[in-house]
Amino acid sequence: MADLLTKLAYQTLQRGKSYFSLTHKALSYRLSSLLLESKTSDASISREVLHEIQQQFEQLLEVDWQDAKQGIYATDLLFQQDWQQFLPSYANVWLDLPRTWQRQHNKEYQVFSTDLDRSKYPQYYLQNFHYQTDGYLSDRSADLYDLQVDILFNGGADAMRRRILAPLKAVVMGWPRTAQPVKILDVACGTGRTLEFIHHTCPQASLYGIDLSSYYLRKANQSLSNIPGELPQLIQGNGEELPYVDNYFHVVTSTFLFHELPPKARQRVLAECWRVLKPEGTLILCDSIQAEDNPRLDPILSWFPRSFHEPYYNNYLKDNLERRLESIGFTENETRVYYMSKYWVAKKPRNDRSNGDEFKCVI
């Protein structure tokens, strides 16, 4: 009976977040059209596509619930939400929207503070992804990011992130026990949301995070400092040049990164993940679904980069990441699809026979 009530509470919460997100997006679209005296012709989505999205969303919730029920993570994780910060954050989302609408209307996607030292970042990173203010390069952006992404995915962002936890826990539990804890690196850790979930699932592991944005790392440090136990070690850096020695980590994860990288950068990041993984280590990726993963959702995939600034997304949709992983030397590659997200789990074999030149063979 307790399980049933908990499940109903979880479903009610998630459906409430979904309806809230859909209402927000409908109001936002209507207001932007009114204020800018313009209308985006491709903003409408058919009933059939909306029905498919809802079906996939319900399946995601069921998998999320079943993983919690089976003890992969505590059911408390399903309800983890900082409601005290929700209202001020949501108010700031609305206060920021007029600037976002204006940039979107003017097709301005490289607008940053004049104080920003652009030489510190690769050119492909200097974008107002999603037309968001300051891109990923301000404290304001970091404060709003998690809520903005959750609204984008109709309240399903955390459930999508948690899909990496089952394969991750299986790897951690299967690794031979030694005096040294299992080391897990999250590449492009952002605000630390995924690291927080990993900590609750594998509390004995040593966690590491790297991100290009010092602003998002500052937000991550604030969030992660509230959890008990050893703090994750966070560092500013580029996934194309990970500042770690070879064969160091048992697991490397990355969430929602690769669709925002140009092709050559994708290959270099994958090569670096390989380098820092121990033999028999595992790489776990979460990102957007790709073309042909669910043909019924293709209209959404073509709409997304037109409505948001995602300059590398169309290339990503057709990119064969499985082939990239194989070219580097990863084996036992598995893929899964949940809702709007896709997952890759790949293993570095015991005997590393890869050739460094192979890292560049797929661009």
Side-chain angles (χ1 to χ4, degrees):
M1 186 65 177
D3 277 355
L4 178 59
L5 291 175
T6 304
K7 182 177 182 179
L8 288 173
Y10 169 64
Q11 291 175 330
T12 300
L13 171 65
Q14 286 299 132
R15 288 166 184 163
K17 290 169 66 177
S18 177
Y19 298 144
F20 174 86
S21 299
L22 290 168
T23 301
H24 169 91
K25 286 185 278 194
L27 287 173
S28 173
Y29 170 70
R30 291 180 184 179
L31 280 173
S32 66
S33 300
L34 178 65
L35 293 175
L36 297 176
E37 297 181 348
S38 64
K39 185 174 181 179
T40 306
S41 60
D42 60 359
S44 61
I45 300 171
S46 70
R47 289 180 180 272
E48 291 78 10
V49 172
L50 289 173
H51 179 68
E52 178 65 20
I53 291 173
Q54 188 59 35
Q55 280 193 320
Q56 293 297 322
F57 182 72
E58 292 294 332
Q59 291 174 19
L60 172 70
L61 299 188
E62 181 62 26
V63 173
D64 201 23
W65 166 253
Q66 290 298 330
D67 278 359
K69 185 179 178 181
Q70 292 169 18
I72 292 171
Y73 41 84
T75 54
D76 290 352
L77 216 58
L78 303 177
F79 299 91
Q80 194 170 53
Q81 183 79 43
D82 189 349
W83 295 108
Q84 195 171 19
Q85 288 297 317
F86 174 79
L87 285 178
S89 294
Y90 186 59
N92 286 329
V93 166
W94 274 107
L95 290 172
D96 187 60
L97 274 175
R99 283 174 289 187
T100 302
W101 296 333
Q102 195 65 54
R103 280 191 302 275
Q104 188 174 19
H105 180 71
N106 296 334
K107 303 298 182 184
E108 296 172 338
Y109 46 80
Q110 290 182 312
V111 181
F112 297 97
S113 168
T114 55
D115 296 331
L116 181 69
D117 184 356
R118 299 188 178 210
S119 65
K120 293 181 178 180
Y121 307 98
Q123 188 62 37
Y124 65 78
Y125 189 70
L126 295 170
Q127 309 279 344
N128 296 108
F129 291 103
H130 310 167
Y131 289 106
Q132 64 194 45
T133 301
D134 303 320
Y136 296 131
L137 296 171
S138 74
D139 292 319
R140 173 176 52 187
S141 170
D143 286 339
L144 299 181
Y145 175 78
D146 285 331
L147 179 54
Q148 289 173 325
V149 170
D150 205 38
I151 291 172
L152 173 64
F153 289 121
N154 299 334
D158 281 346
M160 293 161 69
R161 291 186 180 102
R162 285 193 290 265
R163 302 284 56 76
I164 74 166
L165 298 180
L168 174 64
K169 189 168 185 177
V171 171
V172 171
M173 297 297 290
W175 201 271
R177 297 197 177 191
T178 66
Q180 298 297 320
V182 169
K183 294 187 286 290
I184 302 172
L185 169 67
D186 190 34
V187 178
C189 64
T191 64
R193 190 67 173 164
T194 301
L195 280 172
E196 189 172 353
F197 289 146
I198 294 173
H199 171 80
H200 286 287
T201 306
C202 305
Q204 303 305 317
S206 291
L207 304 185
Y208 299 73
I210 185 168
D211 200 276
L212 268 170
S213 173
S214 61
Y215 308 96
Y216 276 58
L217 288 171
R218 182 156 43 244
K219 179 67 175 179
N221 190 60
Q222 293 170 359
S223 301
L224 296 169
S225 63
N226 295 323
I227 62 177
E230 180 184 345
L231 282 174
Q233 299 182 39
L234 305 179
I235 188 171
Q236 184 179 8
N238 191 336
E240 297 179 76
E241 299 178 60
L242 294 174
Y244 306 103
V245 298
D246 296 358
N247 308 319
Y248 189 67
F249 295 102
H250 299 82
V251 184
V252 174
T253 64
S254 187
T255 305
F256 303 142
L257 167 64
F258 283 84
H259 73 279
E260 293 188 341
L261 294 176
K264 291 183 179 179
R266 276 181 223 137
Q267 189 73 6
R268 285 193 287 265
V269 172
L270 289 174
E272 280 292 273
C273 291
W274 165 278
R275 180 183 65 79
V276 301
L277 271 172
K278 291 177 177 290
E280 299 191 292
T282 301
L283 175 67
I284 304 174
L285 308 177
C286 162
D287 216 300
S288 163
I289 58 173
Q290 295 181 292
E292 300 181 3
D293 285 333
N294 185 344
R296 291 182 292 258
L297 293 180
D298 282 350
I300 288 288
L301 302 186
S302 62
W303 165 83
F304 180 64
R306 293 200 303 268
S307 299
F308 296 80
H309 179 61
E310 287 287 2
Y312 317 112
Y313 192 75
N314 282 327
N315 177 275
Y316 165 84
L317 288 177
K318 299 179 181 179
D319 196 359
N320 191 332
L321 290 191
E322 294 93 330
R323 182 170 170 238
R324 290 187 182 277
L325 291 167
E326 291 170 359
S327 76
I328 293 169
F330 283 103
T331 60
E332 302 179 34
N333 303 330
E334 298 179 7
T335 61
R336 294 183 182 180
V337 172
Y338 299 104
Y339 185 40
M340 303 301 297
S341 52
K342 185 173 183 177
Y343 303 80
W344 293 260
V345 180
K347 190 171 184 179
K348 182 175 180 178
R350 181 192 298 267
N351 298 317
D352 176 5
R353 298 179 180 176
S354 66
N355 184 333
D357 292 339
E358 288 185 282
F359 295 162
K360 300 177 183 178
C361 76
V362 182
I363 59 173

